[in-house]
Amino acid sequence: MSDVIDAAEADRALKAKHRAMWALGDYPAVATEMIATLGPILVDSCDVLPGDRVLDVAAGTGNAAIPAALAGADVVACDLTPELLDTGRRQAERAGAKLEWRQADAEALPFPDGEFDRVLSCVGVMFAPHHQASADELVRVCRPGGTIGLLSWTPEGFIGQMFATMKPYAAPPPPGAQPPPLWGSPDHVRSLLGDRVTDVAARRQTVRIDRFPTPEAFRDYFKSKYGPTIAVYKGIAEDPEMVAALDRDLADLAQRHDQGTKTTVMDWEYLLLTARKRI
């Protein structure tokens, strides 16, 4: 019994750490300035229609939820971090979108079985630490015949490589936690969803990032605004040599991916995967 209690307490502590991490910096700015186009792409790929009941899991500020609501769907946006939901509410109001916002853990969604016609996540659920638990919840809350749509950074793409670059500088993950970019592997996602889904369609695409004048400008932006990067730097703040090494490694990563001439231009790869829940 004590082992069960210890595991539950460890999970609560881990989720609290995740909530705090995503509240660091300014993720809403990252979502708006870097990847605003991705939510509408996911919504279109899932054929969201007026009247559909839609759940956006790990919604952040509503990158997919707000476009789904503007398409006429009945939308619930849920996320572990309430600060992101607060920003999402304000953004939705400015856009004229009406939807429900709920704080929720992707690994334990507070919704009935088969509640939604479309269950989406745009670079969100991939960051929940226990992949199978999250996948089970995505399937559970989707109605039979409904659509599950996921957009995730690939391991081989820029963001996947950024996490690989930061890994040597970060604290070891807790037992059982899996790397987020695995959700960008079609085989991994198929194994998570299993035979509970049919009509799986997966394709790799890219989003162009061209707002940074230099690789160093990219690094400094993520150091100040992106929660996972900020958290890694906080962990090594007392070691100037490690900070300098990570500074170099992140700038070098951006340099290797740079396709620009006068400014830094990068194409960040993601996996767009849709599936239908088996009837």
Side-chain angles (χ1 to χ4, degrees):
M1 186 66 172
S2 63
D3 290 345
V4 174
I5 294 173
D6 289 346
E9 290 179 351
D11 189 63
R12 284 194 292 271
L14 177 60
K15 299 302 171 57
K17 184 178 179 180
H18 273 233
R19 283 197 302 272
M21 179 183 71
W22 287 105
L24 293 171
D26 190 357
Y27 183 73
V30 177
T32 300
E33 296 169 3
M34 301 286 106
I35 57 171
T37 59
L38 298 188
I41 288 171
L42 180 60
V43 169
D44 289 345
S45 297
C46 292
D47 297 322
V48 172
L49 299 172
D52 280 347
R53 181 83 166 138
V54 174
L55 177 65
D56 184 5
V57 179
T61 56
N63 200 331
I66 292 173
L70 292 173
D74 178 10
V75 179
V76 178
C78 68
D79 197 275
L80 192 65
T81 303
E83 291 88 343
L84 299 182
L85 298 176
D86 291 342
T87 300
R89 289 186 184 95
R90 294 191 293 270
Q91 292 181 352
E93 184 175 357
R94 288 195 294 270
K98 296 184 181 299
L99 61 153
E100 180 182 352
W101 301 85
R102 293 276 300 273
Q103 185 176 4
D105 181 353
E107 298 177 5
L109 294 171
F111 307 108
D113 296 357
E115 174 78 6
F116 298 95
D117 302 301
R118 307 280 188 270
V119 179
L120 317 179
S121 189
C122 182
V123 295
V125 74
M126 65 180 291
F127 292 102
H130 306 110
H131 294 188
Q132 191 62 63
S134 299
D136 291 346
E137 286 295 270
L138 297 176
V139 175
R140 180 183 66 79
V141 300
C142 186
R143 69 164 173 82
T147 298
I148 297 169
L150 305 169
L151 193 153
S152 309
W153 302 119
T154 66
E156 305 85 1
F158 180 83
I159 296 296
Q161 290 301 299
M162 185 182 76
F163 276 92
T165 298
M166 295 191 299
K167 183 178 178 180
Y169 300 92
Q178 294 176 279
L182 280 178
W183 281 88
S185 166
D187 289 343
H188 181 68
V189 181
R190 287 189 176 99
S191 72
L192 294 174
L193 300 177
D195 62 4
R196 297 172 295 179
V197 300
T198 63
D199 303 323
V200 177
R203 63 181 184 272
R204 287 184 170 89
Q205 300 182 171
T206 59
V207 57
R208 175 147 290 192
I209 306 298
D210 58 4
R211 70 180 309 278
F212 299 111
T214 65
E216 291 76 16
F218 151 78
R219 176 202 63 210
D220 294 343
Y221 181 95
F222 267 62
K223 280 180 67 173
S224 66
K225 295 188 182 296
Y226 191 60
T229 305
I230 297 169
V232 173
Y233 272 100
K234 284 182 68 174
I236 61 173
E238 301 302 318
D239 189 332
E241 290 186 3
M242 288 190 72
V243 170
L246 181 54
D247 279 348
R248 288 192 300 270
D249 287 350
L250 288 176
D252 288 348
L253 174 70
Q255 183 66 59
R256 291 196 301 274
H257 284 257
D258 184 11
Q259 304 175 42
T261 52
K262 296 182 179 179
T263 62
T264 297
V265 178
M266 298 175 282
D267 290 332
W268 293 359
E269 185 182 68
Y270 60 87
L271 178 74
L272 181 61
L273 183 143
T274 59
R276 189 170 302 278
K277 183 174 175 178
R278 192 178 296 277
I279 296 175

